[in-house]
């Protein structure tokens, strides 16, 4: 196997635009797979990583963690993949051997269980070296997969084989945001038939949570966002009512409690930030109300609540990748999409060629973020980048 020269969007410094550069991608080593990326989507976690105030990742780096592609070559010891397979790279590994993978109680793998910084983790391969080089310098991986490159190398425990007839330009969305929101409702909250739900934040994750609540049989799904333009799509995907907190004369949790006669059964926070998390918890009913936290806000100070909220029977859950055991679950979600169990297509807001990736970042920045202008939710919209191009925009 030879080194492949291709184009990738390299982040040289925090807070700076990405540069389309020629990079060298080394052959895969033991238990590694080299993948040709066909399509990738832009997520707010990629934006988060570039924030100069965080200092959480090392540069230069190739970002991207939500893509789909085709296996180009395999390293020694790889038995579950062959060249030509359609695959989805996964930032959530599944080794299927550790105590976490063997437990039905979590989808966290031992490879991640010791990390407090999941964004910075997996910046090198298992042998502590990179497979990317640019201008003679090593370039770091991002979350183990780096999908902003025409070719990438991933561990075989960070990869799911999917059906040969899967539409890669659509199912790439299963790599992060959709699976997170949809799974938060189904796997983590375990929304029940006939229940009432409140979804805070109607970006891609929130809309996916709406679909999860609908599939679970919820009778009322209340969508909340400060951008009322999102309400039409939310209703089309299953929301029964929508509220804009800026249009109300009292706190959103009080309005929801009045609407539902005491609070919803399930609340899912897809925006992040202490104020939104608090509202999501307080809008649930006493006795059995469940609040699931999905969104992550930059610089957030954490959730400050009274123990009474929990003593009265409410619970708080957190979800990572929607609770899906990645390698086992993603192929099934691809099949569900093919069988029209949910609508991925509705989540794509823009489609751009790869060389316009900085324009994609600009579009995401320009969008009205849900529930708080200072919050960076995991996703505000799906910005879909098709087949990487060969020109460079700086």
């Amino acid at each position: 196997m030879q080194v492949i020269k291709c184009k990738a969007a390299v982040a040289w410094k925090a807070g700076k635009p990405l540069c389309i550069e020629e990079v060298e991608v080394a052959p895969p080593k033991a238990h590694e797979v080299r993948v040709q990326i066909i399509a990738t989507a832009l997520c707010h976690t990629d934006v988060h990583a570039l924030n100069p105030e965080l200092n959480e990742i090392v540069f230069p780096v190739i970002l991207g963690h939500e893509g789909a592609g085709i296996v180009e070559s395999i390293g020694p010891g790889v038995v579950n993949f062959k060249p030509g397979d359609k695959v989805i790279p996964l930032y959530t590994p599944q080794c299927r051997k550790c105590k976490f993978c063997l437990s039905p109680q979590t989808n966290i793998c031992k490879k991640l269980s010791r990390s407090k910084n999941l964004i910075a983790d997996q910046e090198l391969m298992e042998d502590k070296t990179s497979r990317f080089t640019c201008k003679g310098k090593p370039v770091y991986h991002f979350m183990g997969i780096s999908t902003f490159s025409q070719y990438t190398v991933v561990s075989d425990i960070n990869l799911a084989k999917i059906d040969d007839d899967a539409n890669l330009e659509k199912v790439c969305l299963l790599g992060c945001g959709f699976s997170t929101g949809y799974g938060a409702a189904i796997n983590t909250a375990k929304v029940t038939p006939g229940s009432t739900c409140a979804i805070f934040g109607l970006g891609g994750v929130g809309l996916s949570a709406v679909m999860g609540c609908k599939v679970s049989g919820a009778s009322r799904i209340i969508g909340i966002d400060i951008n009322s333009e999102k309400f039409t799509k939310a209703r089309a995907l299953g929301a029964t009512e929508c509220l804009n907190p800026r249009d109300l004369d009292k706190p959103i949790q009080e309005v929801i409690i009045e609407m539902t006669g005491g609070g919803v059964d399930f609340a899912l926070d897809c925006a992040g930030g202490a104020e939104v998390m608090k509202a999501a918890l307080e809008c649930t009913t006493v006795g059995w109300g469940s609040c699931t936290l999905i969104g992550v806000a930059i610089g957030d100070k954490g959730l400050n609540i009274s123990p009474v909220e929990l003593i009265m029977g409410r619970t708080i859950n957190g979800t990572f990748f929607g609770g899906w055991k990645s390698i086992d679950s993603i192929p099934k979600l691809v099949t569900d999409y093919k069988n029209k169990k949910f609508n991925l297509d509705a989540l794509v807001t823009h489609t751009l060629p790869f060389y316009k990736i900085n324009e994609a970042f600009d579009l995401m920045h320009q969008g009205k973020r849900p529930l708080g202008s200072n919050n960076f939710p995991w996703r505000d919209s799906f910005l879909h980048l098709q087949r990487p191009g060969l020109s460079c925009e700086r």
Side-chain angles (χ1 to χ4, degrees):
M1 289 183 286
Q2 302 296 317
V3 169
I4 288 179
K5 292 184 178 181
C6 67
K7 298 291 182 177
V10 178
W12 291 101
K13 294 181 180 179
K16 300 295 184 182
L18 306 184
C19 288
I20 303 294
E21 307 278 12
E22 183 176 81
V23 300
E24 295 82 41
V25 184
K29 295 186 179 181
H31 296 286
E32 295 176 0
V33 180
R34 189 159 59 184
V35 178
Q36 179 189 12
I37 297 296
I38 300 301
T40 186
L42 176 60
C43 173
H44 255 290
T45 304
D46 303 301
V47 179
H48 181 110
L50 288 172
N51 190 308
E53 298 179 5
L54 296 182
N55 195 30
E56 288 187 351
I57 66 171
V58 289
F59 293 89
V61 62
I62 297 174
L63 301 175
H65 64 286
E66 188 173 68
I70 299 170
V71 172
E72 180 272 336
S73 58
I74 60 174
V78 174
V79 296
N80 295 322
F81 304 95
K82 65 182 185 303
D85 284 346
K86 288 187 174 181
V87 290
I88 294 179
L90 303 161
Y91 65 89
T92 307
Q94 185 186 355
C95 72
R96 292 174 168 162
K97 297 177 181 178
C98 70
K99 69 175 184 179
F100 301 101
C101 285
L102 295 175
S103 170
Q105 299 183 68
T106 183
N107 66 327
I108 299 294
C109 176
K110 184 177 180 179
K111 187 172 181 179
L112 291 179
S113 65
R114 297 177 183 175
S115 173
K116 294 183 179 179
N117 187 347
L118 297 172
I119 289 180
D121 198 42
Q122 303 185 88
E123 58 199 19
L124 293 171
M125 301 304 290
E126 195 70 26
D127 65 354
K128 305 303 179 184
T129 65
S130 172
R131 300 294 169 267
F132 297 116
T133 306
C134 182
K135 299 178 180 179
K137 294 184 61 176
V139 178
Y140 288 97
H141 296 247
F142 181 67
M143 299 180 80
I145 53 180
S146 293
T147 62
F148 290 171
S149 176
Q150 288 181 311
Y151 288 84
T152 189
V153 176
V154 303
S155 168
D156 60 0
I157 64 171
N158 286 73
L159 197 65
K161 183 181 182 301
I162 59 176
D163 293 341
D164 290 339
D165 61 349
N167 183 337
L168 298 181
E169 293 170 358
K170 297 295 174 63
V171 299
C172 69
L173 303 179
L174 298 175
C176 179
F178 172 79
S179 300
T180 298
Y182 188 73
I186 293 174
N187 300 324
T188 308
K190 295 181 171 60
V191 172
T192 54
S195 61
T196 55
C197 303
I199 312 294
F200 287 76
L202 296 175
V205 169
L207 293 176
S208 302
V210 167
M211 287 189 270
C213 291
K214 181 179 180 181
V215 166
S216 297
S219 62
R220 292 181 75 177
I221 304 172
I222 304 168
I224 302 103
D225 203 292
I226 60 169
N227 182 1
S228 298
E229 294 176 3
K230 297 179 180 179
F231 293 169
T232 299
K233 183 172 288 188
R235 290 191 179 97
L237 293 174
T240 55
E241 300 136 280
C242 293
L243 299 173
N244 187 331
R246 293 180 174 175
D247 295 337
L248 306 174
D249 58 3
K250 61 178 67 175
I252 183 68
Q253 55 265 50
E254 294 182 18
V255 172
I256 292 173
I257 288 170
E258 291 177 3
M259 289 173 57
T260 57
V264 294
D265 301 307
F266 301 95
L268 295 94
D269 167 27
C270 304
E275 185 177 342
V276 181
M277 290 190 287
K278 190 172 187 295
L281 177 64
E282 291 180 353
C283 82
T284 63
T285 180
V286 299
W288 60 79
S290 168
C291 175
T292 299
L293 305 179
I294 310 168
V296 177
I298 287 180
D300 186 64
K301 302 299 183 181
L303 180 59
N304 184 17
I305 61 171
S306 167
V308 174
E309 299 288 351
L310 305 181
I311 290 172
M312 293 299 290
R314 297 181 178 91
T315 58
I316 302 177
N317 302 306
T319 190
F320 180 70
F321 194 56
W324 302 106
K325 287 187 179 289
S326 57
I327 294 177
D328 292 342
S329 302
I330 290 301
K332 297 174 183 177
L333 288 175
V334 170
T335 300
D336 285 345
Y337 166 66
K338 288 166 49 182
N339 293 334
K340 303 186 185 304
K341 187 172 181 178
F342 47 77
N343 183 3
L344 281 180
D345 305 36
L347 300 177
V348 178
T349 58
H350 301 78
T351 299
L352 295 88
F354 183 65
Y355 70 89
K356 292 187 176 182
I357 190 168
N358 286 314
E359 293 183 27
F361 272 89
D362 290 342
L363 286 167
M364 182 165 280
H365 281 301
Q366 293 165 13
K368 297 178 181 178
R369 301 189 183 100
L371 296 167
S373 60
N374 293 324
N375 291 342
F376 278 79
W378 277 69
R379 176 182 302 282
D380 191 19
S381 58
F382 284 102
L383 294 158
H384 181 217
L385 300 162
Q386 290 184 319
R387 299 181 183 276
L390 297 178
S391 56
C392 178
E393 289 193 356
R394 303 203 178 225

